[in-house]
Amino acid sequence: MVGAFQVSHQTQRRARLPLSPSLFPFFLLLCETSFVAKSDTKEMQRLDKCVAHLTGLSRQGATKLIKEGAVTVAGVVITDAKTKVSLSMPLVIAGFSSDSEDSPEAQGERMVTAADAFKKRVYILNKPYGYVCSSRDKNHSVVSSLWRQELHPERLQAVGRLDVDTTGLLLVTDDGALNHELTSPKKNVAKLYVARLDRPVPESAVAAFAAGIKHPEESQRYQSAKLLILPENAAPATEQVLAPAAAAASPAEIASTESSPTYWAAVTVYEGRFHEVKRLFEVVGCEVLELVRVALGALTLPATLFLGQMQLLSKEQWRRALESHDFTTDEVVALITAYQDSLQSSAPMYLPPAWMQLVLGVGATAATAATAAAASEVDAEDAADDAEDDVQQDASLTDIDEQDDLVDADEADDAADAADAEADFDELDEDGELRIY
């Protein structure tokens, strides 16, 4: 006998179990049934866990809400927090309305499915100047303060990093697997930056970037990068865009900025090492005056997204970050123009001091002080929020310890999920390689 029965016979001999060919279809059916049963188990979750995920409440708070009859599952009020519900079931939670005022559920009720509680989120953020992509910093505001109003902000992480003085596209997600896919050096995800320089870029730099440049302060040569030198004055300097809108800018000052030539270039890198773009231009004799990331893969920075703002992406949108796209000169210039247009509607506190002088009409010292004051206010709010969260978390943990009925296998799953998430955001990948910015 050959084919499937020959394989089955070899399997019988290794397992020393008799398996008649006539029983083979039944064996396959048994395996299939076991798989389906296991899958169904994953489709069920405790109601208190779903409500906690959907509302941002602690498990204790979710339990109280359920016992008060504020949660309806498939049209039925459920008051037992331990009830297992299917992820496909519709939920209505009283007091939690949708963000849209036009929605029929905006009067205090919001219909969702239980599966919404466990969906991974991907946001696109227009990172402002002066924010660092670290968990904490003594001298600057941290970028995580920009999403502290989102649901479960502690689960969100920046995908890679941008320098404190670099602005533009930054993805934020609670999906550890996607974060790794976008930042792992092995994935070669393209990152497009536009840089305004202090002088023209030599034509020889195109070949040098492609071949891989060796910086004197780096032990390893940079990987190949694609350089696109834009025509002189292809786009104005940001100061030139903001100067006409500045109330204190005189006609002479505006004319002075408009008469200065601008030199722009676009560079696509794939590894994203520390200060890579700045050091690449430094080797060819240019200083970067302004640096903006405008694209990740084929995903571009929206023209309507102001500095400091973020918006939720659909799967179809964020998947574009994993696609490749060869940007033309016209496309890059359009991205620069759209970014500069968005700056005119951005909050002044997100602008560098030099730009703030033009917008607010204040001196360098006052602009710096205003920036520092805004950053201090944000950090103070963060500290207060953290302290409040710690108190609530301690109270929740104490209550859970006292109530045995709230402790089950799901709690262990939560701990495992948290550990996996933390591992996903380490600076080194599984092979010990630095994660790319």
Side-chain angles (χ1 to χ4, degrees):
M1 299 177 69
V2 295
F5 291 116
Q6 183 178 16
V7 175
S8 299
H9 176 69
Q10 293 173 351
T11 304
Q12 293 178 49
R13 189 167 55 185
R14 285 197 301 268
R16 297 183 179 180
L17 292 175
L19 181 62
S20 170
S22 62
L23 296 179
F24 191 69
F26 175 76
F27 175 74
L28 293 179
L29 178 62
L30 180 64
C31 293
E32 182 179 356
T33 304
S34 175
F35 175 78
V36 171
K38 186 175 181 180
S39 300
D40 289 342
T41 302
K42 294 183 178 180
E43 291 298 315
M44 304 291 289
Q45 289 288 346
R46 280 178 51 142
L47 183 58
D48 57 351
K49 186 174 183 179
C50 294
V51 173
H53 278 255
L54 286 168
T55 62
L57 295 172
S58 63
R59 189 72 72 90
Q60 176 190 6
T63 298
K64 181 180 179 182
L65 199 66
I66 294 169
K67 289 182 177 180
E68 291 174 350
V71 179
T72 302
V73 180
V76 179
V77 176
I78 303 295
T79 57
D80 185 0
K82 294 182 291 184
T83 302
K84 294 273 188 175
V85 298
S86 170
L87 295 184
S88 61
M89 287 185 175
L91 272 66
V92 175
I93 305 173
F96 290 86
S97 61
S98 64
D99 296 332
S100 173
E101 296 181 356
D102 299 329
S103 171
E105 301 91 19
Q107 301 301 320
E109 292 186 349
R110 173 186 176 199
M111 180 173 288
V112 294
T113 63
D116 292 331
F118 307 98
K119 285 183 178 178
K120 297 299 184 180
R121 298 167 291 171
V122 182
Y123 295 90
I124 185 170
L125 167 69
N126 191 347
K127 179 192 170 295
Y129 176 92
Y131 283 72
V132 295
C133 298
S134 301
S135 58
R136 55 177 53 88
D137 191 278
K138 294 181 179 180
N139 301 316
H140 303 92
S141 295
V142 292
V143 72
S144 59
S145 64
L146 298 174
W147 61 75
R148 67 182 186 276
Q149 300 299 329
E150 298 296 331
L151 186 64
H152 298 297
E154 74 283 353
R155 299 178 185 174
L156 295 171
Q157 299 283 342
V159 178
R161 297 184 180 183
L162 292 179
D163 291 342
V164 64
D165 56 350
T166 301
T167 59
L169 192 158
L170 182 67
L171 291 186
V172 178
T173 184
D174 55 4
D175 188 340
L178 176 62
N179 193 317
H180 182 272
E181 187 172 5
L182 289 169
T183 58
S184 173
K186 296 180 179 180
K187 301 300 181 180
N188 290 325
V189 176
K191 291 162 284 293
L192 176 65
Y193 294 82
V194 290
R196 183 166 61 89
L197 308 161
D198 64 336
R199 63 192 66 190
V201 182
E203 292 292 338
S204 59
V206 176
F209 275 49
I213 286 179
K214 174 67 169 64
H215 191 277
E217 296 181 11
E218 295 284 350
S219 59
Q220 294 183 348
R221 186 179 296 273
Y222 286 110
Q223 290 183 7
S224 175
K226 180 180 178 181
L227 174 64
L228 179 63
I229 302 176
L230 304 181
E232 185 175 323
N233 297 323
T238 302
E239 290 86 343
Q240 296 172 356
V241 174
L242 296 178
S250 66
E253 290 174 330
I254 296 176
S256 175
T257 58
E258 290 178 345
S259 62
S260 303
T262 56
Y263 310 104
W264 289 90
V267 58
T268 303
V269 297
Y270 299 90
E271 54 178 342
R273 283 151 59 180
F274 182 68
H275 290 330
E276 178 177 4
V277 175
K278 296 175 183 177
R279 291 187 172 182
L280 287 173
F281 283 111
E282 182 181 339
V283 172
V284 297
C286 298
E287 179 184 356
V288 175
L289 303 178
E290 183 180 350
L291 186 62
V292 185
R293 183 158 71 182
V294 293
L296 192 65
L299 177 66
T300 58
L301 188 66
T304 56
L305 195 64
F306 307 144
L307 283 175
Q309 287 187 340
M310 58 191 293
Q311 68 182 39
L312 187 65
L313 297 179
S314 65
K315 183 176 181 180
E316 291 72 19
Q317 290 174 318
W318 63 253
R319 287 294 301 178
R320 291 182 57 80
L322 298 170
E323 301 173 0
S324 59
H325 182 78
D326 190 12
F327 289 90
T328 65
T329 298
D330 290 340
E331 288 176 324
V332 173
V333 172
L335 289 173
I336 299 173
T337 303
Y339 168 76
Q340 292 180 330
D341 290 343
S342 71
L343 292 182
Q344 300 184 59
S345 300
S346 298
M349 65 173 288
Y350 294 135
L351 304 178
W355 300 356
M356 192 183 291
Q357 294 177 59
L358 296 174
V359 177
L360 301 181
V362 297
T365 303
T368 304
T371 304
S376 299
E377 181 180 353
V378 171
D379 292 337
E381 292 178 1
D382 290 342
D385 292 342
D386 291 342
E388 183 179 353
D389 292 342
D390 291 340
V391 172
Q392 293 178 352
Q393 183 177 9
D394 291 342
S396 300
L397 292 176
T398 301
D399 186 81
I400 289 176
D401 289 338
E402 294 175 351
Q403 301 182 40
D404 292 337
D405 62 336
L406 290 182
V407 182
D408 63 357
D410 288 334
E411 299 291 350
D413 293 341
D414 289 342
D417 292 342
D420 291 341
E422 183 177 356
D424 284 332
F425 296 112
D426 287 342
E427 290 300 319
L428 299 178
D429 64 11
E430 67 275 6
D431 296 323
E433 299 183 17
L434 280 176
R435 305 187 61 175
I436 60 176
Y437 300 169

